[in-house]
mmCIF file of all heavy atoms in Angstrom:
data_model
loop_
_atom_site.group_PDB
_atom_site.id
_atom_site.type_symbol
_atom_site.label_atom_id
_atom_site.label_comp_id
_atom_site.label_asym_id
_atom_site.label_seq_id
_atom_site.Cartn_x
_atom_site.Cartn_y
_atom_site.Cartn_z
ATOM 1 N N ARG J 88 0.828 -1.212 0.000
ATOM 2 C CA ARG J 88 0.000 0.000 0.000
ATOM 3 C C ARG J 88 0.860 1.259 0.000
ATOM 4 O O ARG J 88 0.564 2.239 -0.683
ATOM 5 C CB ARG J 88 -0.924 -0.022 1.219
ATOM 6 C CG ARG J 88 -1.990 1.047 1.180
ATOM 7 C CD ARG J 88 -2.928 0.919 2.346
ATOM 8 N NE ARG J 88 -2.930 2.224 2.993
ATOM 9 C CZ ARG J 88 -3.184 2.455 4.242
ATOM 10 N NH1 ARG J 88 -3.467 1.460 5.053
ATOM 11 N NH2 ARG J 88 -3.186 3.663 4.721
ATOM 12 N N ASP J 89 1.965 1.225 0.762
ATOM 13 C CA ASP J 89 2.844 2.396 0.850
ATOM 14 C C ASP J 89 3.491 2.745 -0.484
ATOM 15 O O ASP J 89 3.675 3.913 -0.797
ATOM 16 C CB ASP J 89 3.966 2.158 1.871
ATOM 17 C CG ASP J 89 3.459 2.039 3.298
ATOM 18 O OD1 ASP J 89 2.398 2.600 3.612
ATOM 19 O OD2 ASP J 89 4.152 1.376 4.101
ATOM 20 N N ILE J 90 3.844 1.734 -1.274
ATOM 21 C CA ILE J 90 4.564 2.027 -2.525
ATOM 22 C C ILE J 90 3.640 2.215 -3.727
ATOM 23 O O ILE J 90 4.112 2.582 -4.802
ATOM 24 C CB ILE J 90 5.624 0.954 -2.866
ATOM 25 C CG1 ILE J 90 4.973 -0.349 -3.304
ATOM 26 C CG2 ILE J 90 6.612 0.779 -1.756
ATOM 27 C CD1 ILE J 90 5.859 -1.136 -4.236
ATOM 28 N N GLU J 91 2.361 1.972 -3.542
ATOM 29 C CA GLU J 91 1.443 2.062 -4.683
ATOM 30 C C GLU J 91 1.590 3.366 -5.472
ATOM 31 O O GLU J 91 1.626 3.332 -6.696
ATOM 32 C CB GLU J 91 -0.009 1.852 -4.227
ATOM 33 C CG GLU J 91 -0.936 1.501 -5.366
ATOM 34 C CD GLU J 91 -0.433 0.345 -6.242
ATOM 35 O OE1 GLU J 91 0.039 -0.669 -5.713
ATOM 36 O OE2 GLU J 91 -0.494 0.501 -7.474
ATOM 37 N N PRO J 92 1.733 4.532 -4.827
ATOM 38 C CA PRO J 92 1.866 5.776 -5.594
ATOM 39 C C PRO J 92 3.143 5.848 -6.447
ATOM 40 O O PRO J 92 3.184 6.591 -7.424
ATOM 41 C CB PRO J 92 1.885 6.878 -4.532
ATOM 42 C CG PRO J 92 1.269 6.258 -3.318
ATOM 43 C CD PRO J 92 1.609 4.796 -3.384
ATOM 44 N N VAL J 93 4.163 5.079 -6.102
ATOM 45 C CA VAL J 93 5.428 5.149 -6.847
ATOM 46 C C VAL J 93 5.786 3.825 -7.533
ATOM 47 O O VAL J 93 6.860 3.699 -8.111
ATOM 48 C CB VAL J 93 6.595 5.597 -5.935
ATOM 49 C CG1 VAL J 93 6.384 7.014 -5.436
ATOM 50 C CG2 VAL J 93 6.800 4.619 -4.788
ATOM 51 N N ARG J 94 4.892 2.852 -7.493
ATOM 52 C CA ARG J 94 5.182 1.539 -8.098
ATOM 53 C C ARG J 94 5.568 1.674 -9.568
ATOM 54 O O ARG J 94 6.527 1.065 -10.024
ATOM 55 C CB ARG J 94 3.994 0.594 -7.955
ATOM 56 C CG ARG J 94 4.229 -0.760 -8.656
ATOM 57 C CD ARG J 94 3.093 -1.715 -8.463
ATOM 58 N NE ARG J 94 3.217 -2.478 -7.243
ATOM 59 C CZ ARG J 94 4.118 -3.451 -7.045
ATOM 60 N NH1 ARG J 94 4.976 -3.760 -7.980
ATOM 61 N NH2 ARG J 94 4.156 -4.102 -5.911
ATOM 62 N N ALA J 95 4.858 2.476 -10.325
ATOM 63 C CA ALA J 95 5.150 2.622 -11.758
ATOM 64 C C ALA J 95 6.565 3.160 -11.972
ATOM 65 O O ALA J 95 7.261 2.733 -12.897
ATOM 66 C CB ALA J 95 4.122 3.529 -12.424
ATOM 67 N N VAL J 96 7.005 4.070 -11.127
ATOM 68 C CA VAL J 96 8.364 4.611 -11.238
ATOM 69 C C VAL J 96 9.377 3.512 -10.926
ATOM 70 O O VAL J 96 10.353 3.329 -11.660
ATOM 71 C CB VAL J 96 8.562 5.823 -10.300
ATOM 72 C CG1 VAL J 96 10.009 6.275 -10.286
ATOM 73 C CG2 VAL J 96 7.638 6.962 -10.690
ATOM 74 N N LEU J 97 9.157 2.754 -9.854
ATOM 75 C CA LEU J 97 10.063 1.663 -9.493
ATOM 76 C C LEU J 97 10.168 0.639 -10.615
ATOM 77 O O LEU J 97 11.254 0.130 -10.908
ATOM 78 C CB LEU J 97 9.601 0.971 -8.207
ATOM 79 C CG LEU J 97 9.697 1.771 -6.911
ATOM 80 C CD1 LEU J 97 9.060 1.001 -5.767
ATOM 81 C CD2 LEU J 97 11.140 2.122 -6.593
ATOM 82 N N GLU J 98 9.080 0.359 -11.248
ATOM 83 C CA GLU J 98 9.060 -0.652 -12.304
ATOM 84 C C GLU J 98 9.788 -0.211 -13.574
ATOM 85 O O GLU J 98 10.061 -1.032 -14.441
ATOM 86 C CB GLU J 98 7.628 -1.072 -12.610
ATOM 87 C CG GLU J 98 7.034 -1.902 -11.487
ATOM 88 C CD GLU J 98 5.566 -2.249 -11.670
ATOM 89 O OE1 GLU J 98 4.890 -1.627 -12.523
ATOM 90 O OE2 GLU J 98 5.097 -3.145 -10.951
ATOM 91 N N THR J 99 10.151 1.071 -13.675
ATOM 92 C CA THR J 99 10.911 1.513 -14.851
ATOM 93 C C THR J 99 12.363 1.046 -14.790
ATOM 94 O O THR J 99 13.022 0.967 -15.819
ATOM 95 C CB THR J 99 10.888 3.046 -15.019
ATOM 96 O OG1 THR J 99 11.555 3.660 -13.919
ATOM 97 C CG2 THR J 99 9.474 3.561 -15.167
ATOM 98 N N PHE J 100 12.870 0.743 -13.597
ATOM 99 C CA PHE J 100 14.270 0.317 -13.488
ATOM 100 C C PHE J 100 14.460 -0.985 -12.720
ATOM 101 O O PHE J 100 15.579 -1.421 -12.487
ATOM 102 C CB PHE J 100 15.144 1.429 -12.889
ATOM 103 C CG PHE J 100 14.729 1.860 -11.506
ATOM 104 C CD1 PHE J 100 15.244 1.224 -10.377
ATOM 105 C CD2 PHE J 100 13.846 2.906 -11.335
ATOM 106 C CE1 PHE J 100 14.882 1.632 -9.108
ATOM 107 C CE2 PHE J 100 13.475 3.326 -10.059
ATOM 108 C CZ PHE J 100 13.997 2.680 -8.945
ATOM 109 N N THR J 101 13.357 -1.624 -12.326
ATOM 110 C CA THR J 101 13.470 -2.873 -11.583
ATOM 111 C C THR J 101 12.676 -3.982 -12.265
ATOM 112 O O THR J 101 11.715 -3.732 -12.982
ATOM 113 C CB THR J 101 12.908 -2.733 -10.151
ATOM 114 O OG1 THR J 101 11.511 -2.454 -10.224
ATOM 115 C CG2 THR J 101 13.596 -1.641 -9.372
ATOM 116 N N SER J 102 13.100 -5.205 -12.000
ATOM 117 C CA SER J 102 12.317 -6.354 -12.460
ATOM 118 C C SER J 102 11.739 -7.103 -11.265
ATOM 119 O O SER J 102 10.916 -7.990 -11.428
ATOM 120 C CB SER J 102 13.191 -7.300 -13.292
ATOM 121 O OG SER J 102 14.268 -7.794 -12.510
ATOM 122 N N LYS J 103 12.175 -6.718 -10.077
ATOM 123 C CA LYS J 103 11.730 -7.393 -8.865
ATOM 124 C C LYS J 103 11.667 -6.365 -7.740
ATOM 125 O O LYS J 103 12.564 -5.549 -7.597
ATOM 126 C CB LYS J 103 12.741 -8.483 -8.507
ATOM 127 C CG LYS J 103 12.266 -9.482 -7.491
ATOM 128 C CD LYS J 103 13.336 -10.532 -7.220
ATOM 129 C CE LYS J 103 13.616 -11.319 -8.492
ATOM 130 N NZ LYS J 103 14.649 -12.334 -8.324
ATOM 131 N N ILE J 104 10.598 -6.403 -6.963
ATOM 132 C CA ILE J 104 10.458 -5.506 -5.817
ATOM 133 C C ILE J 104 10.227 -6.367 -4.586
ATOM 134 O O ILE J 104 9.260 -7.128 -4.520
ATOM 135 C CB ILE J 104 9.282 -4.521 -6.005
ATOM 136 C CG1 ILE J 104 9.502 -3.659 -7.249
ATOM 137 C CG2 ILE J 104 9.123 -3.640 -4.773
ATOM 138 C CD1 ILE J 104 8.318 -2.773 -7.615
ATOM 139 N N LEU J 105 11.157 -6.269 -3.636
ATOM 140 C CA LEU J 105 11.003 -6.981 -2.368
ATOM 141 C C LEU J 105 10.442 -6.008 -1.352
ATOM 142 O O LEU J 105 10.974 -4.922 -1.173
ATOM 143 C CB LEU J 105 12.353 -7.504 -1.875
ATOM 144 C CG LEU J 105 13.102 -8.440 -2.810
ATOM 145 C CD1 LEU J 105 14.444 -8.841 -2.190
ATOM 146 C CD2 LEU J 105 12.282 -9.671 -3.112
ATOM 147 N N LEU J 106 9.366 -6.406 -0.691
ATOM 148 C CA LEU J 106 8.684 -5.516 0.243
ATOM 149 C C LEU J 106 8.723 -6.046 1.659
ATOM 150 O O LEU J 106 8.874 -7.243 1.889
ATOM 151 C CB LEU J 106 7.215 -5.354 -0.165
ATOM 152 C CG LEU J 106 6.946 -4.682 -1.499
ATOM 153 C CD1 LEU J 106 5.485 -4.824 -1.861
ATOM 154 C CD2 LEU J 106 7.345 -3.231 -1.437
ATOM 155 N N GLY J 107 8.543 -5.157 2.586
ATOM 156 C CA GLY J 107 8.405 -5.484 4.000
ATOM 157 C C GLY J 107 8.144 -4.181 4.729
ATOM 158 O O GLY J 107 8.255 -3.102 4.148
ATOM 159 N N GLY J 108 7.834 -4.257 5.979
ATOM 160 C CA GLY J 108 7.571 -3.046 6.738
ATOM 161 C C GLY J 108 8.843 -2.270 7.008
ATOM 162 O O GLY J 108 9.927 -2.611 6.517
ATOM 163 N N ALA J 109 8.716 -1.235 7.799
ATOM 164 C CA ALA J 109 9.855 -0.383 8.141
ATOM 165 C C ALA J 109 11.012 -1.225 8.680
ATOM 166 O O ALA J 109 10.814 -2.101 9.516
ATOM 167 C CB ALA J 109 9.431 0.645 9.176
ATOM 168 N N GLY J 110 12.208 -0.983 8.148
ATOM 169 C CA GLY J 110 13.404 -1.707 8.581
ATOM 170 C C GLY J 110 13.658 -3.002 7.834
ATOM 171 O O GLY J 110 14.771 -3.521 7.842
ATOM 172 N N LYS J 111 12.649 -3.543 7.179
ATOM 173 C CA LYS J 111 12.795 -4.828 6.473
ATOM 174 C C LYS J 111 13.709 -4.682 5.254
ATOM 175 O O LYS J 111 14.438 -5.603 4.913
ATOM 176 C CB LYS J 111 11.441 -5.392 6.041
ATOM 177 C CG LYS J 111 10.481 -5.638 7.184
ATOM 178 C CD LYS J 111 10.951 -6.743 8.082
ATOM 179 C CE LYS J 111 9.875 -7.016 9.112
ATOM 180 N NZ LYS J 111 10.250 -8.016 10.073
ATOM 181 N N GLY J 112 13.670 -3.532 4.599
ATOM 182 C CA GLY J 112 14.543 -3.300 3.451
ATOM 183 C C GLY J 112 16.007 -3.340 3.860
ATOM 184 O O GLY J 112 16.838 -3.941 3.185
ATOM 185 N N GLN J 113 16.323 -2.708 4.992
ATOM 186 C CA GLN J 113 17.700 -2.723 5.491
ATOM 187 C C GLN J 113 18.137 -4.138 5.839
ATOM 188 O O GLN J 113 19.266 -4.530 5.538
ATOM 189 C CB GLN J 113 17.824 -1.821 6.720
ATOM 190 C CG GLN J 113 17.745 -0.353 6.382
ATOM 191 C CD GLN J 113 17.757 0.507 7.627
ATOM 192 O OE1 GLN J 113 16.996 0.261 8.565
ATOM 193 N NE2 GLN J 113 18.625 1.503 7.646
ATOM 194 N N ALA J 114 17.255 -4.901 6.477
ATOM 195 C CA ALA J 114 17.595 -6.275 6.852
ATOM 196 C C ALA J 114 17.814 -7.140 5.607
ATOM 197 O O ALA J 114 18.747 -7.945 5.553
ATOM 198 C CB ALA J 114 16.496 -6.868 7.736
#
């Protein structure tokens, strides 16, 4: 839900998006 507004932008340079709550990206 948090990335929905920017998903299209992310998809211009990524083929895979790994999600998680706050801090999960760093882990």
Side-chain angles (χ1 to χ4, degrees):
R88 191 176 126 206
D89 294 334
I90 71 152
E91 198 51 44
V93 295
R94 176 177 274 289
V96 173
L97 292 174
E98 289 175 345
T99 65
F100 60 89
T101 64
S102 61
K103 194 179 297 179
I104 300 173
L105 302 178
L106 296 170
K111 301 293 186 183
Q113 288 175 310

